Amino acid sequence: MAAKGRASLYLRGAMIFLAMLLPMLSLLPLGWLWLWERGWALYWIASAFALSIIAYTAQAIALRRTLRQTPEPIAADDEKVAPDPSWTAREQAAWTAVEAIASNVKPSELTDRDRFLNLGLRTIEAVARQIHPGDNNPLWKFTLPEALALVERVSADLRPFVVENIPLGDQLTIGQILKIYGWRSAIGMAEKAYDLWRLVRLVNPVTAAAQEAREQITKHLYANVRDQLARQLARAYVREVGRAAIDLYGGRLRVSEAQLATHVSASTLRDRGQATGLAEPVRILVAGQAGSGKSSVVNALTKEVRAVVDAPGGTRDYQGYEVELEGLSGAMVIDSPRIGASTKEQRAFATRAGDSDLVIWALSANRDDARVDLAALSAIRTHFASRPHRREPTVIVALTHIDKVTQHAPGRNETIDLQDPAIVETVREVAEGLGVPKNDVVPVSFAPGRPPFNIEQLSMRVAARVPDARQAQLLRLMEDAAPRWSVRRVLGQAGNAVKSAAKSVVPSVFRR
């Protein structure tokens, strides 16, 4: 009975609506007849068409201006987003794979839930395979705390977006959102009602034709803009998923930012000799063969020495100096022993170089044989090649004794000409022979009775490479601060688990 009463009520409402609508509809043919009798019909059609063109142009200009004023524009179709410079080689390869997916993504992949989830999963798998290429099942190569940290970070980013960009996003409850979602069928009813109105207005065919033309033009414009925005949104989605996956599989979520800010590495504690309240410095290793002028480079760079540390037994050959350098508020310059020629010595040196963020290599410009230097640098590169989660430190070559190769021996009051062909050629040969950029080869001189030459340029080159050293330091700290397996740690976790279980079983005992 209730259903019949409701149907009767709807029928009466529809009859009342038609009764009110019929007088308005009768005006359509009468108005058209009035225009036709006075000869104004063609003028009216032309005016309606002109107004439609004007409206279309105004809408196009307004939409394009809105797109240009977007706060964070998304890359164009043929534009790729550059990878983060702090990423490792594998992480950068993973980003290349993400960009390949983003460039081929289709807007329709966002319209279906299953295709939307598959797109995200495909992006995550591409990242996992690039960062863990030797693993048959790299998709699950992360720990539970890392997954929780990712959820926490995404939630923190999503909350301000919802509050600032979604109307009533900070007011609607979940129950109200679900209720609104349940009304989605009303959209279909509205579309059917609009189609009915399009049929009714055919009573006046000229007016209907003009309005239909205007609506089709507007619909086409919005369709193009919608497809463009959908494509940009799909690519932004792939890139955001890719960045989160790189952080997850690259191990960047194992240690929090707060932990990294206060962590001091084991190598720095060793070189300082005791724990201090100072933050982790950028570690600069100065290396070279005997007679290369390495000690002179150290003395020149450590004019403003804050603390000279006597290393404990077993590391006497490595001397640490905490200094202030240009562009670097805190640094530790580490003077190393001479480079040995044997493979064992070079491997041991490469291991110590693994604790550094920047390497200054002292090389004598008048030395004919640099095979030992090249072998030692190759050992460092091999050491980091086996540790893809780390970043190889930048190598700056201090080309000492440059006054010995110049064609014109300068007098006591003359300066060395860096444009001397012999110096230019020596710099080029050293850069190519050691595999370093030519700008990172700085000629210097410590001739007796003369002030050090070109040390300012060496300091400026070190300052220019500080951002690279910071990136290497971040990855080094992440490795050093990451939790490691130990029997003591496992026993502590097991003890805490037993206590938690006991509290849930006999809570009254623990309350006492």
Side-chain angles (χ1 to χ4, degrees), residues 116-431:
F116 177 80
L117 295 177
N118 288 335
L119 176 61
L121 182 60
R122 182 153 50 95
T123 304
I124 293 172
E125 286 181 342
V127 171
R129 294 191 182 282
Q130 290 293 334
I131 295 182
H132 301 288
D135 200 299
N136 294 328
N137 188 20
L139 193 60
W140 304 107
K141 293 285 289 186
F142 57 85
T143 63
L144 181 58
E146 288 177 288
L148 295 175
L150 181 63
V151 172
E152 180 182 0
R153 193 186 71 174
V154 172
S155 299
D157 293 340
L158 187 60
R159 184 180 185 277
F161 175 81
V162 172
V163 172
E164 297 172 6
N165 298 279
I166 297 180
L168 299 178
D170 56 343
Q171 301 295 326
L172 295 175
T173 64
I174 297 297
Q176 291 170 332
I177 293 175
L178 292 176
K179 185 179 292 186
I180 293 173
Y181 180 75
W183 294 344
R184 66 188 185 279
S185 58
I187 298 176
M189 296 176 60
E191 291 178 350
K192 292 179 181 179
Y194 177 71
D195 291 338
L196 179 62
W197 163 247
R198 293 173 64 187
L199 292 174
V200 170
R201 72 184 183 188
L202 286 176
V203 177
N204 189 340
V206 177
T207 303
Q211 292 180 351
E212 190 70 20
R214 183 186 63 212
E215 291 171 2
Q216 289 300 324
I217 292 174
T218 303
K219 184 178 180 180
H220 179 70
L221 171 65
Y222 276 103
N224 289 339
V225 174
R226 181 192 61 197
D227 290 343
Q228 180 183 0
L229 290 176
R231 188 176 296 107
Q232 292 177 347
L233 180 61
R235 292 179 177 177
Y237 165 70
V238 170
R239 290 183 177 120
E240 288 302 316
V241 171
R243 287 184 185 277
I246 288 175
D247 287 344
L248 178 63
Y249 291 100
R252 294 175 177 269
L253 301 177
R254 292 181 183 176
V255 185
S256 66
E257 294 183 3
Q259 289 176 293
L260 289 177
T262 58
H263 182 77
V264 179
S265 66
S267 55
T268 296
L269 293 177
R270 175 195 62 212
D271 292 333
R272 281 177 177 167
Q274 59 181 353
T276 67
L278 300 175
E280 175 71 12
V282 170
R283 296 173 57 85
I284 302 175
L285 179 67
V286 182
Q289 294 192 55
S292 62
K294 177 174 59 65
S295 298
S296 299
V297 172
V298 172
N299 293 332
L301 290 176
T302 57
K303 289 181 179 179
E304 300 181 23
V305 179
R306 183 172 67 219
V308 180
V309 181
D310 292 327
T315 59
R316 287 189 298 270
D317 293 335
Y318 288 87
Q319 183 72 43
Y321 303 86
E322 290 185 328
V323 301
E324 296 291 337
L325 299 177
E326 181 180 354
L328 198 57
S329 58
M332 176 177 282
V333 172
I334 303 165
D335 187 7
S336 64
R338 64 175 183 82
I339 303 300
S342 68
T343 302
K344 182 178 179 180
E345 290 176 315
Q346 290 175 355
R347 286 180 179 174
F349 172 75
T351 301
R352 289 301 300 262
D355 295 333
S356 63
D357 309 312
L358 181 69
V359 176
I360 299 178
W361 201 273
L363 177 67
S364 181
N366 62 342
R367 183 184 295 274
D368 295 331
D369 189 4
R371 286 180 296 180
V372 173
D373 302 87
L374 179 58
L377 287 174
S378 299
I380 295 176
R381 291 162 183 160
T382 301
H383 174 78
F384 278 92
S386 62
R387 305 168 78 180
H389 54 284
R390 288 284 306 280
R391 186 183 184 93
E392 182 180 332
T394 299
V395 177
I396 298 177
V397 178
L399 195 58
T400 60
H401 303 143
I402 197 64
D403 55 301
K404 301 292 182 62
V405 300
T406 180
Q407 294 178 353
H408 170 68
R412 180 173 295 274
N413 296 324
E414 294 182 273
T415 59
I416 300 173
D417 183 11
L418 292 177
Q419 301 303 318
D420 188 298
I423 295 179
V424 173
E425 180 62 19
T426 302
V427 169
R428 185 191 65 80
E429 291 178 354
V430 169

Side-chain angles (χ1 to χ4, degrees), residues 418-471:
L418 292 177
Q419 301 303 318
D420 188 298
I423 295 179
V424 173
E425 180 62 19
T426 302
V427 169
R428 185 191 65 80
E429 291 178 354
V430 169
E432 293 180 356
L434 298 183
V436 298
K438 189 168 66 174
N439 290 338
D440 286 336
V441 179
V442 183
V444 295
S445 175
F446 305 99
R450 296 172 57 87
F453 170 74
N454 212 30
I455 293 301
E456 294 80 6
Q457 183 64 31
L458 179 61
S459 298
M460 291 174 58
R461 195 60 199 160
V462 171
R465 285 299 199 169
V466 165
D468 297 323
R470 290 290 190 192
Q471 293 164 9

